Amino acid sequence: MKNGYLLLILLFGMMVSCSTSDDSPIEVLDPTMYFPPVENNTWETVTPSSLEWNESNINALNDFLIQNNSKSFMILVNGRIVMEEYYDGHTAQEPWEWNSAGKTLASATTGIAQQNGLIDIENKVSDYLGTDWTNMDLEKENLITVRNLLTMTSGIDDTKQLVVKSNLTYVADAGTRWAYGNVFQKLMDVVAESSATDFESYFNTNLKAKIGMDGFWNEGTIFTIFHSTTRSMARFGLLSLNNGSWDGEQIIDASFFTECVTTSQNINPSYGYLWWLNGKSQYMLPSDQTVFPGTLIPNAPADMVAAMGAKDQRIYVVPSKNMVVIRMGNASDPQNANFAVSGFDNALWEKINAVIN
């Protein structure tokens, strides 16, 4: 037994030493959690066959992704790449927009600012931005906490996406109405004001650099959107799979991250701190006050949580399978480029299930 164990160690060392390129795959059959190095883009891989997946259905999955305007697709299991595909001329080196999937980056950075003692999410937003940051009466403005911004329960009008003071008007008392809106961007101002630096610098130092991500924030007229390569999106997914921990270092406080991926209010149980949650009894959607019965994505695992952005940018995190799934690209349905959840999710998971089950 000892000789067999030593042979496994020797073979593992030989496999690692054979890699000379940052992007070269390193095939490793290992059930432990793996984290790619932060200093380069070397990444261990594992084959679908070693996981006993149904390889005969992989072509159908790829065809579906191509037909639905995808640019890239990845699956990680235990941190190792099982599938990594690029379509329509896109490459591993090219950045792509996260859209609202990047809200989860804002949530994570807010949590880091709290663990660093800069903010308390239960405090009023005006404690950091000063009073009169909205176009509301002071009494109503003072009801809005940082937590309300994290949970989409600020009570601010969600029909106006440009975040300027004149648009930040009262609809309901904070905490009494869930409505998906762009006012979450005020979290970036809270972090910036409390840290005495700009949000991107704080994010770069405290999150991006620590897990080896690339990417940048593009500040547009209406939206502030993160762009990165597919592998960097996967790195954040892997951090999330491990409850904010990266290779032994707790980047995001574990209790805060648990709150991120747990029902954050009783109005829309399928929403955490800017994360979407599967497997709940009901859900709401952007730009709609309807409460729909049932789970968000019936074909996906019940414990899945997701970062979701317009044009079907996706990070699916599935703890029960130690799995992260990434999809980037153009809208699957260009005539209906949803802000978040779309019928694409359920159809995609039908194809994924045919491979992994």
Side-chain angles (χ1 to χ4, degrees):
M1 179 65 71
K2 182 179 290 186
N3 289 339
Y5 180 74
L6 290 174
L7 179 60
L8 284 174
I9 295 295
L10 178 61
L11 287 172
F12 178 79
M14 290 172 63
M15 291 163 70
V16 172
S17 66
C18 286
S19 174
T20 57
S21 167
D22 281 357
D23 296 311
S24 12
I26 309 169
E27 170 67 19
V28 176
L29 299 179
D30 188 341
T32 60
M33 190 63 65
Y34 165 78
F35 297 87
V38 299
E39 65 273 9
N40 61 52
N41 214 21
T42 304
W43 206 309
E44 290 181 3
T45 68
V46 63
T47 61
S49 61
S50 70
L51 299 173
E52 299 183 343
W53 285 5
N54 190 338
E55 293 181 277
S56 64
N57 289 326
I58 289 177
N59 285 340
L61 171 57
N62 275 317
D63 289 344
F64 172 83
L65 288 159
I66 292 167
Q67 292 161 8
N68 285 273
N69 306 313
S70 301
K71 290 289 186 179
S72 64
F73 182 76
M74 285 186 70
I75 299 182
L76 308 180
V77 173
N78 289 320
R80 296 174 182 85
I81 296 173
V82 191
M83 290 183 64
E84 181 176 19
E85 303 289 344
Y86 297 94
Y87 317 102
D88 193 30
H90 195 66
T91 69
Q93 291 72 42
E94 288 182 82
W96 193 259
E97 62 198 49
W98 286 39
N99 296 332
S100 284
K103 286 181 169 69
T104 55
L105 297 175
S107 170
T109 309
T110 301
I112 292 169
Q114 177 171 257
Q115 72 200 41
N116 287 342
L118 300 179
I119 66 172
D120 183 332
I121 66 169
E122 302 302 336
N123 287 349
K124 302 190 299 291
V125 175
S126 57
D127 288 347
Y128 307 101
L129 303 187
T131 58
D132 206 33
W133 65 275
T134 69
N135 196 24
M136 300 162 62
D137 292 341
L138 182 60
E139 177 189 3
K140 299 301 184 183
E141 179 182 279
N142 279 338
L143 297 176
I144 304 172
T145 64
V146 176
R147 190 176 187 278
N148 291 134
L149 295 181
L150 286 166
T151 60
M152 296 291 183
T153 58
S154 67
I156 290 173
D157 185 0
D158 56 300
T159 64
K160 302 166 185 174
Q161 293 302 320
L162 180 60
V163 183
V164 294
K165 180 181 173 181
S166 59
N167 285 347
L168 304 183
T169 55
Y170 175 87
V171 173
D173 282 2
T176 67
R177 180 177 186 265
W178 185 90
Y180 189 89
N182 209 25
V183 72
F184 87 94
Q185 289 184 165
K186 283 295 178 181
L187 289 169
M188 298 175 173
D189 294 342
V190 168
V191 171
E193 289 296 329
S194 64
S195 64
T197 186
D198 61 278
F199 174 83
E200 184 161 11
S201 295
Y202 192 82
F203 163 80
N204 288 348
T205 300
N206 292 279
L207 178 54
K208 177 183 162 185
K210 290 192 174 184
I211 64 172
M213 292 178 69
D214 57 42
F216 59 93
W217 291 91
N218 182 16
E219 297 189 17
T221 304
I222 297 178
F223 299 102
T224 299
I225 294 173
F226 192 67
H227 294 66
S228 83
T229 59
T230 304
R231 285 193 175 192
S232 281
M233 198 181 214
R235 283 175 182 266
F236 182 68
L238 182 57
L239 177 72
S240 303
L241 177 65
N242 288 276
N243 298 310
S245 176
W246 186 270
D247 202 14
E249 182 182 0
Q250 198 68 44
I251 308 298
I252 308 165
D253 180 74
S255 60
F256 178 85
F257 188 80
T258 297
E259 292 176 22
C260 288
V261 293
T262 303
T263 298
S264 60
Q265 26 65 50
N266 59 14
I267 308 166
N268 182 6
S270 296
Y271 206 72
Y273 290 173
L274 307 182
W275 280 87
W276 291 91
L277 317 177
N278 203 36
K280 306 304 178 183
S281 60
Q282 60 190 40
Y283 62 93
M284 296 172 67
L285 296 175
S287 306
D288 196 334
Q289 286 297 298
T290 305
V291 177
F292 298 94
T295 190
L296 196 66
I297 306 171
N299 284 336
D303 67 328
M304 185 194 77
V305 298
M308 296 186 167
K311 302 180 183 178
D312 303 309
Q313 319 308 320
R314 298 291 188 262
I315 305 174
Y316 303 114
V317 178
V318 187
S320 61
K321 296 183 179 294
N322 284 335
M323 180 182 291
V324 174
V325 180
I326 305 296
R327 186 273 181 185
M328 301 180 108
N330 291 312
S332 57
D333 179 0
Q335 303 305 313
N336 187 27
N338 294 279
F339 283 117
V341 187
S342 72
F344 170 76
D345 298 279
N346 213 39
L348 174 58
W349 270 98
E350 180 180 0
K351 298 296 183 183
I352 293 173
N353 287 337
V355 172
I356 68 175
N357 293 330

